[in-house]
Amino acid sequence: MENTNCCVCQKPKATLQCGACKEPVCKKCAQFLEEGSFSFLKEVPEFLSHGAYCGPCYDAKIVPELGAYNETMEAAKNIAVFMKDQSKETRNFSRKEAALKVVDCEDREEALLRLAFMAVKADFNALIDVELSYEKIRSGGSYKTHKWSAKGIPTTYHGRR
């Protein structure tokens, strides 16, 4: 006979399962993780891809990961970005790293933010030679949309030179 008591409050007939410890948990005790909470990560770890968690697992495993992700996102929003046509300002910057590239983004800002997020994850604080481009996509008669892509070289920026 399988135990269906909630692992938090011990009430019978728990309908959900914790994504981390696989214990049954009731809807009242479950902590839910919004879909797309870690959408900027290249690969979302398996334990972060579930929707419901028990309170102890959420506090011990999910909250620290979510905090680190949000810190990285804030750093990505504050990264120094130099476009391709600003090469005069960046001529002395190191270009040793391989260029980062993102494709198929909904808008220009998302493409730039995803590129900045990748640079921050690689421990850089600037992007140089950034190129943004889009492709028009027609679906049906007159409905058009764009798919944006971005490319840039990550580097470390030390303020004014």
Side-chain angles (χ1 to χ4, degrees):
M1 190 165 126
E2 189 177 317
N3 182 13
T4 58
N5 291 343
C6 175
C7 66
V8 178
C9 66
Q10 298 301 316
K11 289 186 180 178
K13 296 184 182 178
T15 57
L16 300 171
Q17 185 180 28
C18 175
C21 66
K22 308 295 184 211
E23 292 290 324
V25 63
C26 66
K27 189 174 181 181
K28 183 180 175 189
C29 297
Q31 298 284 327
F32 295 98
L33 187 61
E34 292 181 28
E35 187 158 336
S37 293
F38 296 97
S39 64
F40 279 57
L41 292 177
K42 280 186 179 180
E43 293 183 19
V44 178
E46 194 270 329
F47 74 95
L48 295 175
S49 62
H50 302 286
Y53 299 91
C54 66
C57 288
Y58 187 83
D59 291 339
K61 297 177 182 169
I62 306 305
V63 170
E65 292 288 330
L66 197 55
Y69 178 82
N70 289 335
E71 285 178 14
T72 305
M73 186 62 74
E74 284 302 313
K77 289 177 182 177
N78 297 322
I79 199 168
V81 177
F82 297 95
M83 303 305 279
K84 183 77 169 178
D85 60 354
Q86 292 177 299
S87 61
K88 200 173 223 183
E89 289 91 4
T90 64
R91 67 181 178 268
N92 294 329
F93 287 14
S94 172
R95 288 174 167 76
K96 293 178 183 175
E97 296 297 321
L100 301 175
K101 187 173 183 178
V102 294
V103 293
D104 293 338
C105 295
E106 295 295 318
D107 61 4
R108 181 182 192 274
E109 286 76 27
E110 180 189 352
L112 194 57
L113 188 59
R114 284 188 181 274
L115 193 65
F117 188 86
M118 290 170 60
V120 169
K121 286 295 275 185
D123 291 327
F124 295 102
N125 66 355
L127 285 166
I128 56 174
D129 298 341
V130 175
E131 296 179 75
L132 291 164
S133 60
Y134 65 91
E135 175 186 355
K136 289 183 182 178
I137 298 176
R138 294 180 186 258
S139 57
S142 62
Y143 183 72
K144 289 187 280 187
T145 185
H146 295 110
K147 290 289 182 184
W148 286 85
S149 58
K151 181 180 172 184
I153 301 171
T155 190
T156 303
Y157 177 62
H158 298 291
R160 293 188 72 136
R161 289 190 179 207

